[in-house]
Amino acid sequence: MTSCRICGGRLHEFGDFGTQPLSSGFLEPDYIGDEYFFRLALGVCASCSMVQLMEEVPRHLMFNGHYPYLSSGSSVMRRHFERTARHFLETELTSPDHFAVELGCNDGIMLKTLAEAGVRHLGVEPSKSVADIARRLGIRVATEFFQESTATEIRETEGPAQLIYAANTVCHIPYLDSIFRGVDTLLATDGVFVFEDPYLADIIEKTAYDQMYDEHFYFFSVTSVAAMAKRFGFELVNAERLPVHGGEVRYTIAREGRRTPDPSVAELLAQEETAQLTHLDTLKTFFRNVEQSRDDLVTLLKKLKAEGRSVVGYGATAKSATVANYCGVGPDLVSFVSDTTPNKQGRLTPGSHIPVRPREAFEDPYPDYALLFAWNHAEEIIAKETRFREAGGRWILYIPHVHVV
């Protein structure tokens, strides 16, 4: 693409990760055939400042009946979504008549708290495997992609929504024009559209380049979200930084003139302008830091191999696909990846073809080093894996720079 998917402005490319596989495309060990690859390159819009991928991956290839990610897989995220739901119960969902919709509800971990409180709700989740888990919790779920036509159907049967919420979902959707038309159709006059996604400032500050993979199409800043909301007839009225997933922002959008913007919006806009966050030079500097991080990681892994040290990966995350394939890390440098997700175990990582083994393999025996792909849960994981440390094991992290713990 050469033009912005939001406003049609000119895109300036600033980084290229080369060919990448589907980040959730874990392979059977005897797989013979062609994997789907695409060019993972990044651009910034000269008009609205939106950072985005230069090539779109068809949505049905990423979000389907075998989608492996579970929102409830981390205790930190379970607590986060429970707190989020309770916040909405106190601030937005205060009437028995209020209706809440979650886009990309995954396994229903947020809606579960709303359902238990008696809130009328609906999850919209295109991946059948995780939607079925939510249904077993008693969550009402529509298994489809949210867009303008979906919103019309929901409005006709359920009435307007006081809250439309999404976590780590809106940045996945290239066709945001249809999303906002859907929000316009479904949202109550005084309702809010709230979404939280990885924050560009945190990605740049931490050189967290593994946040950039097929599922993440947009990389939001407060500047670009404010411009996007205005373009579609809405207004950004709150922006709250969150510590989860390596740094996110929760954006609250309302119909123009319906709410008084919180000072947080102006404060973050000013910070981004001072930092020149979405300027092309800033983004080019970020990518030079990415290249340095890649070189440092490969040098360390090759050094450990030459010394006869054992190295395994920890956490077969979607974002590890970018690291492994961009850095050329395969089973020659990382013998396997330990992961607790049953439908990833016994498979090979996409593109790099590193075997994925159960958590029990991690301690049978413990390796000398563990490359922590799930770095955004580092505190939780390192606190849990005390026996690894006691056995002399060391963690390799590559965020915010390559280092050994």
Side-chain angles (χ1 to χ4, degrees):
M1 295 186 299
T2 58
S3 59
C4 175
R5 286 295 299 265
I6 300 297
C7 73
R10 182 184 176 190
L11 287 181
H12 293 287
E13 185 174 321
F14 64 85
D16 187 348
F17 290 98
T19 55
Q20 291 281 338
L22 298 174
S23 60
S24 295
F26 292 86
L27 305 170
E28 294 286 356
D30 57 352
Y31 174 82
I32 299 175
D34 294 328
E35 288 181 75
Y36 180 94
F37 284 90
F38 73 107
R39 188 173 80 97
L40 179 58
L42 297 143
V44 60
C45 177
S47 299
C48 72
S49 301
M50 183 67 77
V51 173
Q52 57 204 275
L53 298 189
M54 303 291 291
E55 183 175 327
E56 177 184 348
V57 176
R59 64 186 186 179
H60 69 276
L61 295 179
M62 297 182 288
F63 309 111
N64 49 48
H66 307 289
Y67 189 62
Y69 178 76
L70 298 178
S71 296
S72 61
S74 160
S75 61
V76 170
M77 294 310 298
R78 290 196 297 272
R79 290 193 297 270
H80 169 73
F81 286 123
E82 182 178 351
R83 287 194 299 267
T84 298
R86 300 209 174 279
H87 167 72
F88 290 144
L89 290 170
E90 295 171 0
T91 59
E92 300 296 340
L93 304 171
T94 56
S95 166
D97 298 327
H98 283 163
F99 173 49
V101 174
E102 182 176 4
L103 315 184
C105 70
N106 198 265
D107 58 9
I109 191 63
M110 195 285 291
L111 287 178
K112 180 175 181 290
T113 300
L114 297 188
E116 291 171 348
V119 172
R120 194 162 57 91
H121 66 275
L122 181 69
V124 182
E125 172 55 63
S127 301
K128 184 179 183 300
S129 57
V130 292
D132 286 344
I133 295 173
R135 289 192 184 95
R136 289 196 288 272
L137 295 175
I139 308 302
R140 296 178 62 223
V141 185
T143 307
E144 54 189 304
F145 290 98
F146 183 85
Q147 50 202 4
E148 186 177 7
S149 59
T150 317
T152 300
E153 294 172 6
I154 296 172
R155 177 73 183 241
E156 289 174 351
T157 57
E158 305 283 352
Q162 180 66 22
L163 168 71
I164 300 175
Y165 171 72
N168 306 297
T169 297
V170 175
C171 74
H172 294 185
I173 306 171
Y175 52 96
L176 287 183
D177 52 344
S178 182
I179 297 296
F180 271 91
R181 287 196 299 270
V183 169
D184 189 32
T185 297
L186 182 57
L187 193 67
T189 303
D190 60 343
V192 288
F193 176 31
V194 181
F195 59 93
E196 53 194 66
D197 283 294
Y199 184 33
L200 181 63
D202 283 305
I203 293 173
I204 290 176
E205 179 184 345
K206 298 171 183 176
T207 318
Y209 64 94
D210 60 351
Q211 294 276 26
M212 295 164 167
Y213 56 97
D214 56 343
E215 294 178 14
H216 289 179
F217 189 84
Y218 295 109
F219 303 91
F220 294 137
S221 63
V222 178
T223 302
S224 62
V225 169
M228 176 175 66
K230 184 176 181 179
R231 180 174 186 81
F232 295 117
F234 292 86
E235 184 176 15
L236 178 61
V237 296
N238 199 303
E240 178 187 0
R241 296 190 73 166
L242 304 172
V244 296
H245 281 315
E248 298 193 335
V249 167
R250 177 181 292 156
Y251 303 96
T252 301
I253 288 174
R255 298 186 187 279
E256 284 187 305
R258 299 300 302 186
R259 306 236 177 162
T260 301
D262 187 85
S264 61
V265 176
E267 290 169 4
L268 284 171
L269 285 171
Q271 290 177 21
E272 290 182 3
E273 180 56 34
T274 299
Q276 298 186 331
L277 181 64
T278 57
H279 289 209
L280 188 57
D281 286 345
T282 302
L283 297 168
K284 286 181 176 179
T285 298
F286 159 73
F287 204 77
R288 286 195 291 271
N289 292 337
V290 169
E291 293 170 331
Q292 184 62 58
S293 179
R294 172 198 60 194
D295 294 346
D296 291 346
L297 179 59
V298 172
T299 297
L300 174 60
L301 293 177
K302 287 183 176 180
K303 175 177 178 291
L304 295 176
K305 179 182 180 180
E307 293 173 351
R309 306 289 188 176
S310 57
V311 181
V312 307
Y314 196 105
T317 60
K319 58 179 173 280
S320 66
T322 297
V323 178
N325 288 277
Y326 177 62
C327 298
V329 174
D332 58 324
L333 295 176
V334 175
S335 55
F336 68 89
V337 181
S338 166
D339 196 276
T340 58
T341 309
N343 60 357
K344 293 180 182 178
Q345 295 166 2
R347 292 177 175 258
L348 304 176
T349 58
S352 53
H353 300 172
I354 304 172
V356 181
R357 296 180 181 172
R359 160 65 185 75
E360 292 74 21
F362 181 62
E363 58 184 15
D364 187 25
Y366 282 119
D368 297 316
Y369 291 83
L371 177 58
L372 187 53
F373 288 123
W375 61 265
N376 49 312
H377 300 298
E379 184 176 351
E380 178 183 1
I381 290 170
I382 292 174
K384 180 177 69 174
E385 297 290 2
T386 54
R387 290 178 59 195
F388 171 57
R389 184 178 68 248
E390 291 167 355
R394 298 183 178 185
W395 296 98
I396 300 172
L397 287 90
Y398 49 87
I399 303 296
H401 55 83
V402 176
H403 61 290
V404 175
V405 177

